[in-house]
């Protein structure tokens, strides 16, 4: 059952800001209709008022479409809607000019309030909508100034007094300029939020990569130093044992002590390296396999998955990539990450299976028989996946194709966990 507000809580912070921005402009556009409707209700010419209201409603519908397309363009989801922006500008200018001409075409009636409302609201809203689909402060400023100049010229042509023309031109310049500035600032703010979120993800990945380097350095320091000492002391013990010297026992006791100390130090190093980032592992798998001359194709994004799911699947990618390099003669490897409603499936396929041995290094005694006990890799992966309610299957998918598939349940935002799955 979806809880109230689950749709909103399930969005990321940039997605929330984008939704807020979209609906802010949609509500601004929709506000045209009740504003003109209120002016129509007190008009002395209801029929003409309803016509202007219908034109305003059509302008609002066109503006909503333009807002959606323009914001999609700012997010890189579609090309710039140049034709739609020109259509929006022409329709806005035509309705605004028509509102100015109405008092001249219907003399003897007081329509100043209605036509002034249509002219001002349509022109200002249309300016803000068109500004969403433009880049550069100069272009937006030039557009606002051009509208103000066009308003002044149009007012003079229809016979408005000079003082009224100057006032209307100044009002249009200030109003259109302010709305255009709000539009440009909203787009800039949205881009900044997405850029900050991307920088945060990049910083996280760099931190994980740095931790991997630290692990490799620490492990090298521990194992390299201690194994060198073990090698020297065991060699000394061999020489002493050949000579019948009792000191050989002391040397082997020292070797035993160093081995136990090494075990403890390795556990300390590994304790801080139990988590794996799926995005980093996918990128690392592509680079490592490409360096080994194996064509690697990766499809799917790890963004948005819970941390424990990414960690479990990251270990699957790490282990399978290592096994592809160590075993078999793979020339091609395909990794697919598919997220459906409540489930995420990771499949790793390679063409390195040969003579009953798959690329995981496990001997197959029959179709679909993969013995995890032949190596600790698959058994360890199954244990990690079991902790998050996942499963692992590994079997030949074709005569020369081996497939490892890991499936993990993912809680749907706003939905209670199913019984038997981890909350």
């Amino acid at each position: 059952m979806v809880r109230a507000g689950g749709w909103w809580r399930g969005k990321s912070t940039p997605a929330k800001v984008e939704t807020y921005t979209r609906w802010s402009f949609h509500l601004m556009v929709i506000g045209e209709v009740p504003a003109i409707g209120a002016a129509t209700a007190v008009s002395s010419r209801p029929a003409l008022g309803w016509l202007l209201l219908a034109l305003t409603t059509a302008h609002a519908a066109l503006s909503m479409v333009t807002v959606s397309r323009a914001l999609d363009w700012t997010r890189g989801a579609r090309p710039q809607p140049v034709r739609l922006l020109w259509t929006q500008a022409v329709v806005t200018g035509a309705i605004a000019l028509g509102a100015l001409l109405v008092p001249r075409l219907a003399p003897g009636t007081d329509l100043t309030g209605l036509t002034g409302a249509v002219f001002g609201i349509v022109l200002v809203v249309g300016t803000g909508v068109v500004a969403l689909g433009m880049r550069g402060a100069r272009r937006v400023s030039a557009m606002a100034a051009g509208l103000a100049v066009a308003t002044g010229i149009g007012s003079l042509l229809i016979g408005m007094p000079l003082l009224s023309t100057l006032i209307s031109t100044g009002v249009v310049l200030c109003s259109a300029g302010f709305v255009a500035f709000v539009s440009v600032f909203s787009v800039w703010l949205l881009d900044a939020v997405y850029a900050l979120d991307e920088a945060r993800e990049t910083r996280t990945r760099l931190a994980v990569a740095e931790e991997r380097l630290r692990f490799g350095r620490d492990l090298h320091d521990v194992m390299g130093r201690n194994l060198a000492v073990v090698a020297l002391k065991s060699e000394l013990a061999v020489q002493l044992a050949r000579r019948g010297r009792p000191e050989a026992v002391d040397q082997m006791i020292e070797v035993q002590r160093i081995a136990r100390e090494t075990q403890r130090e390795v556990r300390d190093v590994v304790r801080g390296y139990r988590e794996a980032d799926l995005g980093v592992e996918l990128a690392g798998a592509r680079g490592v396999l490409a360096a080994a001359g194996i064509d690697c194709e990766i499809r799917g994004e790890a963004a948005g998955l819970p941390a424990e799911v990414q960690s479990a699947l990251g270990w699957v990618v790490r282990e399978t990539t290592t096994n592809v390099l160590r075993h078999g003669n793979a020339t091609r490897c395909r990794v697919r990450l598919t997220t459906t409603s409540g489930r995420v499936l990771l499949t790793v396929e390679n063409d390195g299976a040969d003579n009953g041995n798959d690329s995981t290094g496990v001997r197959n005694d029959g179709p679909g028989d993969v013995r995890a006990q032949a190596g600790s890799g698959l058994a360890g992966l199954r244990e990690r996946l079991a902790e998050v309610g996942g499963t692992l299957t590994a079997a030949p998918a074709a005569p020369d194709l081996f497939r490892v598939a890991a499936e993990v349940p993912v809680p749907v935002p706003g939905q209670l966990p199913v019984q038997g799955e981890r909350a």
Side-chain angles (χ1 to χ4, degrees), residues 30 49 74-75 85 143 166 175 189 270 277 279 291 295 300 364:
I30 295 174
T74 62
R75 301 304 331 131
L85 292 174
M143 179 192 65
L166 293 176
S175 302
L189 181 62
V270 174
D277 184 86
D295 182 24
N364 299 332

Side-chain angles (χ1 to χ4, degrees), residues 290-313:
I294 300 175
D295 182 24
C296 181
E297 176 186 359
I298 296 179
R299 296 183 181 180
E301 294 292 336
L305 295 178
E308 62 273 12
V309 174
Q310 289 205 38
S311 178
L313 295 180

Side-chain angles (χ1 to χ4, degrees), residues 63-237:
S63 299
M64 292 187 69
V65 176
T66 307
V67 166
S68 297
R69 299 291 178 85
L71 288 176
D72 287 344
W73 168 65
T74 62
R75 301 304 331 131
R78 64 172 68 245
Q80 185 179 18
V82 178
R83 294 183 180 179
L84 186 60
L85 292 174
W86 276 107
T87 302
Q88 177 75 39
V90 171
V91 171
T92 298
I95 296 177
L97 181 60
L100 289 179
L101 292 176
V102 166
R104 302 297 184 271
L105 298 177
T109 57
D110 186 12
L111 296 174
T112 304
L114 176 60
T115 56
V118 173
F119 172 79
I121 293 175
V122 168
L123 196 63
V124 170
V125 171
T127 302
V129 171
V130 174
L132 284 176
M134 300 178 65
R135 285 282 194 239
R138 291 184 178 180
R139 293 182 179 180
V140 176
S141 300
M143 179 192 65
L147 285 175
V149 172
T151 299
I153 295 175
S155 299
L156 291 176
L157 291 178
I158 63 176
M160 287 184 63
L162 179 60
L163 180 60
S164 299
T165 299
L166 293 176
I167 293 175
S168 61
T169 301
V171 170
V172 169
L173 179 62
C174 295
S175 302
F178 175 75
V179 175
F181 168 78
V182 171
S183 298
V184 173
F185 179 77
S186 298
V187 173
W188 174 85
L189 181 62
L190 183 60
D191 291 341
V193 171
Y194 271 102
L196 289 174
D197 186 70
E198 184 178 355
R200 181 184 60 81
E201 291 185 0
T202 302
R203 183 183 62 182
T204 302
R205 293 182 179 181
L206 289 176
V208 173
E210 183 179 355
E211 178 64 14
R212 294 179 66 182
L213 292 175
R214 182 201 65 79
F215 173 78
R217 182 180 63 251
D218 293 349
L219 191 61
H220 176 269
D221 292 342
V222 171
M223 298 297 294
R225 180 188 67 249
N226 292 357
L227 288 178
V229 175
V230 167
L232 289 175
K233 289 206 172 278
S234 60
E235 182 179 356
L236 178 58

Side-chain angles (χ1 to χ4, degrees), residues 197-198 201-202 205 277-283 286 297-307 309-311 313-314 317 335-340 343-347 408 410:
D197 186 70
E198 184 178 355
E201 291 185 0
T202 302
R205 293 182 179 181
D277 184 86
L278 182 55
V280 173
E281 295 299 333
L282 290 173
R286 179 187 285 112
E297 176 186 359
I298 296 179
R299 296 183 181 180
E301 294 292 336
L305 295 178
V309 174
Q310 289 205 38
S311 178
L313 295 180
V317 173
V335 181
R336 287 188 176 88
L337 184 66
T338 307
T339 303
T340 57
R343 310 289 293 182
V344 58
L345 176 64
L346 174 69
T347 59
V408 179
V410 178

